[in-house]
Amino acid sequence: MIIIMERDATVENINAVTGLLKEHGFQVIVHEGDVHTVIDALGDKTTLSANQIDAMDGVKKIKFIREPFRLASRDRKQEDTIIEFSNGVKIGGANRPVAMVGPCSVEDNFEGLLEVAVAAKELGCEFLRGGAFKPRTSPYDFDGLGEKGLKYLAKAKEETGLLVVTELMDSEDLDLVYKYADIIQIGARNMQNFKLLKAVGKCDKPIILKRGPASTIREFLLAAEHIMYNGNENVILCERGLKSFDSAFTRNLLDISAIPVIKKYSHLPIIVDPSHGTGQRYLIEPMAKAGLVVGADGVMVEVHHNPARALSDGKQSLSIPQFKEVFTRINNLIDTLHLEKSMSIPNVE
Ligand code: PEP
Ligand code: MN
């Protein structure tokens, strides 16, 4: 890190900073400028927090050379992380982008869920998504079927072979969700629920971490870092849109540029969720395609057997006929992109 001292920092202030850095094993070089003294400090920040230095008298500003996320960083691991499932499906790297589709909430209508799952299977999707524990803005809204919903997902998996993605909201339910999920989803609202991140960090299931609606990319990657730091390196990031000043036409502002930015700075796979990202059914296709074109490793899309009657997020869900039409075109794009990707990256696996 580089520490810039205040114009009026005293020699004692400078010595106190360099002394503390040296105590913690940092290599220190002091540059005395005409106005500011700048201290170059090279070392391991795990024993000395930058906040401690920042709090010292005479310190103006600290600049970091390395990103604060380490395990998630490309500096540590240059090759893409690839997450592999028992049935051979892989997410990340040069593998074919995957599709995770299904209703927002698993509702008390197994036939409806199965209809979606069968259509998903027919279209080559790999994952069935659906929430049995739903974070809802209002306490009066449907908040999920709990274990009954998980059982419906398991039954649909049994009939179609699709892998299951479902949300965990509370570490108390981890054992239960673990039993049914192939991927455990941490929702956007829980992106910085550090206790929950720690709990899933200690389990051995892949995790989808959704970006918080008001989180920076750095905060997003630091949330992934919490999971990895606790032992679970199988993290799939999901860009699902940010709160913005303009909600007249879209629910959120889907940050498409976050995908190539994250690809540059992290080795973790990232998928795009245009349903929550826009809140509008008609925007699912263009924004899914946009995400794939800029490098997403998969898409997550809400599909419901009867969106007009959905208990949550019907407006951003495709009906089954719409899903079939849209995914036929998305699959064509995925095939083209996958072909290009596998031709341009030799020996990726
Ligand atoms: C969901 O995937 O249904 C969901 C609640 O998403 P998010 O956490 O992104 O709002
Ligand atoms: Mn939803």
Side-chain angles (χ1 to χ4, degrees), residues 88-152:
V89 168
K90 291 178 188 164
I91 303 181
N95 291 293
R96 191 178 191 280
V98 296
M100 304 176 181
V101 304
C104 178
S105 307
V106 178
E107 299 173 13
D108 205 356
N109 179 343
F110 176 69
E111 292 313 314
L113 179 70
L114 187 63
E115 233 184 286
V116 172
V118 167
K121 184 69 188 175
E122 271 171 27
L123 281 152
C125 301
E126 294 84 356
F127 295 87
L128 176 64
R129 60 135 289 148
F133 294 97
K134 294 301 302 176
R136 301 309 303 270
T137 304
S138 161
Y140 305 109
D141 286 339
F142 176 64
D143 65 353
L145 292 181
E147 187 165 14
K148 190 177 193 184
L150 296 173
K151 286 191 168 147
Y152 283 176

Side-chain angles (χ1 to χ4, degrees), residues 186-199:
I186 300 298
R189 291 166 183 80
N190 273 318
M191 190 202 84
Q192 286 189 319
N193 179 340
F194 300 113
K195 211 173 149 203
L196 188 59
L197 300 180
K198 188 171 179 179

Side-chain angles (χ1 to χ4, degrees), residues 103-105 129 134 210 251 276 302 312-313 316:
C104 178
S105 307
R129 60 135 289 148
K134 294 301 302 176
K210 299 190 89 175
R251 179 178 178 184
H276 295 89
E302 289 185 332
S312 59
D313 289 351
Q316 61 187 41

Side-chain angles (χ1 to χ4, degrees), residues 227-284:
I227 300 173
M228 300 174 83
Y229 178 75
N230 282 286
N232 189 349
E233 301 232 342
N234 289 328
V235 180
I236 301 150
L237 303 166
C238 178
E239 169 55 49
R240 49 76 74 204
L242 302 170
K243 284 236 179 287
S244 89
F245 61 90
D246 186 356
S247 58
F249 301 103
T250 54
R251 179 178 178 184
N252 287 307
L253 180 67
L254 187 63
D255 185 2
I256 289 291
S257 64
I259 296 164
V261 169
I262 285 171
K263 287 267 164 207
K264 181 173 164 67
Y265 290 99
S266 176
H267 52 84
L268 294 174
I270 177 162
I271 63 170
V272 64
D273 171 355
S275 286
H276 295 89
T278 66
Q280 300 289 340
R281 185 176 301 130
Y282 79 96
L283 290 173
I284 290 175

Side-chain angles (χ1 to χ4, degrees), residues 11-142:
V11 175
E12 286 75 25
N13 294 155
I14 296 165
N15 288 345
V17 171
T18 56
L20 185 63
L21 286 163
K22 284 178 187 164
E23 237 176 74
H24 283 83
F26 278 74
Q27 234 179 294
V28 176
I29 304 168
V30 180
H31 307 275
E32 277 178 31
D34 289 342
V35 182
H36 294 279
T37 293
V38 173
I39 302 166
D40 242 343
L42 279 179
D44 181 4
K45 288 209 299 295
T46 46
T47 62
L48 177 66
S49 133
N51 291 335
Q52 283 170 264
I53 301 278
D54 200 24
M56 294 179 84
D57 287 337
V59 173
K60 181 172 197 251
K61 205 190 283 185
I62 300 184
K63 294 253 179 212
F64 298 101
I65 299 165
R66 276 203 317 185
E67 287 295 336
F69 46 88
R70 297 173 180 211
L71 301 170
S73 162
R74 276 251 189 237
D75 294 342
R76 179 183 74 106
K77 183 172 175 233
Q78 277 87 59
E79 69 278 14
D80 292 327
T81 284
I82 294 170
I83 298 172
E84 189 169 352
F85 297 83
S86 53
N87 63 356
V89 168
K90 291 178 188 164
I91 303 181
N95 291 293
R96 191 178 191 280
V98 296
M100 304 176 181
V101 304
C104 178
S105 307
V106 178
E107 299 173 13
D108 205 356
N109 179 343
F110 176 69
E111 292 313 314
L113 179 70
L114 187 63
E115 233 184 286
V116 172
V118 167
K121 184 69 188 175
E122 271 171 27
L123 281 152
C125 301
E126 294 84 356
F127 295 87
L128 176 64
R129 60 135 289 148
F133 294 97
K134 294 301 302 176
R136 301 309 303 270
T137 304
S138 161
Y140 305 109
D141 286 339
F142 176 64

